[in-house]
Amino acid sequence: MRAISTGAGAADALRHPAVRVAAFGMLPLLLLLVDLVAGRDVRLGPLMVAGPTFAAIFCTPLCVLAVLAVALPCALVAATANQQMDTTNFPVQLSTLLLISAGSVAASAVRVRGERRLAASRWVAEVTQRVLLHPLPRRTGPFGVASLYLAADEEAAVGGDLYALVRSGHTTRVLIGDVQGKGLASLEIVGCVLNGFRWTARHDVPLLKTAGEIEAALRQEVREQSAVTGPGNGPVGRFTAESFVTAVVVELSDDGRVCLVNLGHPPPLLLHRGTVTALAPTAPAPPLGLGDLTADGPVVDTASMPPGSTLLLYTDGVTEARDGSGAFYPLAERVRHWTEKEPEALLSTLHADLRRYSGTRLEDDVAMVALRRPLAGSADGQRPARGIEDRPDDPVR
């Protein structure tokens, strides 16, 4: 922990404008020192322009001007030492320094303006994500809850994976899904699916009819948007031709009974005492949006969560993450070692392990939800779990 804190402190120090000005201001000073030591045979005055040029990449326009204020006297001193002040080439060198520095100031201004626009866009995307993906409660009935969301489009900070949880009476309904595609273009579909799920859960629509109600709401949204924008226009309009949503809807009773409807989604994993059981559907069902491709509707499968077990729901961004050799992330094999962890610790460990395994940025969005049924009379089972944000990797313990 000390090493992490020291590294973070050093990184924060390097972001300070005064530190950056000092760092880039040292470049012309070092060039001047070399020029003076090497004598008249080595003339480094023209290289003084490197200070403002490099500063434009990292500094604000005002900081670039501060570096120029150091580089210009250094260039004059170097020219005096090399007896270049009276040469016809010196005005050309000085004009070049000033011209390139002016361009560096302008480039820095454009970069800073773009960074501010990007920061504003990220802020809007993060607010949009919080509006669509309501923060999950720390606890629902007897179950501890934790969630994790990682967008593959890091600049947008939002993607096409979704999850939601609604508590009603003595049951909890959980949805996790994945819109075909990712990024901002999937937001309208995400919002429609989430609103449909929340409506069915709050109106106690039977689990078997939930998928049909969500798909009906989705198709109605498509018709309304197409009437306004025309067929095929906008993110929702393209849904009719090429998009779909895989999903799992889970209903948890407080006594540990589990009912599931799987719509083409990776099966949830039940973790208990070192064993991992995939709750695969007994009959395959098409994803949302493709329900008219088969006459058979979805089925409700049942399972049981014994005390001390954890139900892990996830999207295919987890299992399709690859290492350097192209091998997929073995989720069931990895998680077998962490079946006794509380939800927050479990997802923190998975997050860190997934980042190490993939080694690079994620190719697909990742969403995970963990729900743990406490042991009877366990004090640990009463500790609330927190939702997990995208933050620096936690060490696996």
Side-chain angles (χ1 to χ4, degrees), residues 255-273:
D255 60 2
R257 178 179 172 83
V258 183
C259 297
L260 310 94
V261 173
N262 193 315
L263 304 166
H265 197 78
L269 301 179
L270 183 62
L271 319 178
H272 185 54
R273 294 182 179 178

Side-chain angles (χ1 to χ4, degrees), residues 215-228:
E215 182 152 355
L218 188 57
R219 292 187 179 278
Q220 178 64 26
E221 181 74 13
V222 169
R223 286 193 295 269
E224 293 176 357
Q225 291 293 329
S226 296
V228 174

Side-chain angles (χ1 to χ4, degrees), residues 235-249:
V236 175
R238 290 196 296 270
F239 175 79
T240 56
E242 61 188 36
S243 295
F244 56 86
V245 184
T246 67
V248 173
V249 184

Side-chain angles (χ1 to χ4, degrees), residues 334-388:
R334 298 286 184 128
V335 81
R336 184 174 289 111
H337 304 290
W338 309 317
T339 58
E340 302 307 309
K341 289 182 177 290
E342 293 296 318
E344 180 187 1
L346 173 63
L347 295 193
S348 293
T349 302
L350 276 173
H351 180 197
D353 191 56
L354 184 64
R355 287 291 193 184
R356 281 192 296 270
Y357 186 88
S358 59
T360 58
R361 63 176 294 173
L362 298 171
E363 297 297 328
D364 197 3
D365 305 323
V366 167
M368 288 188 282
V369 177
L371 302 102
R372 183 171 178 83
R373 186 183 179 194
L375 294 168
S378 171
D380 291 341
Q382 301 305 315
R383 288 202 304 252
R386 301 194 304 270
I388 300 173

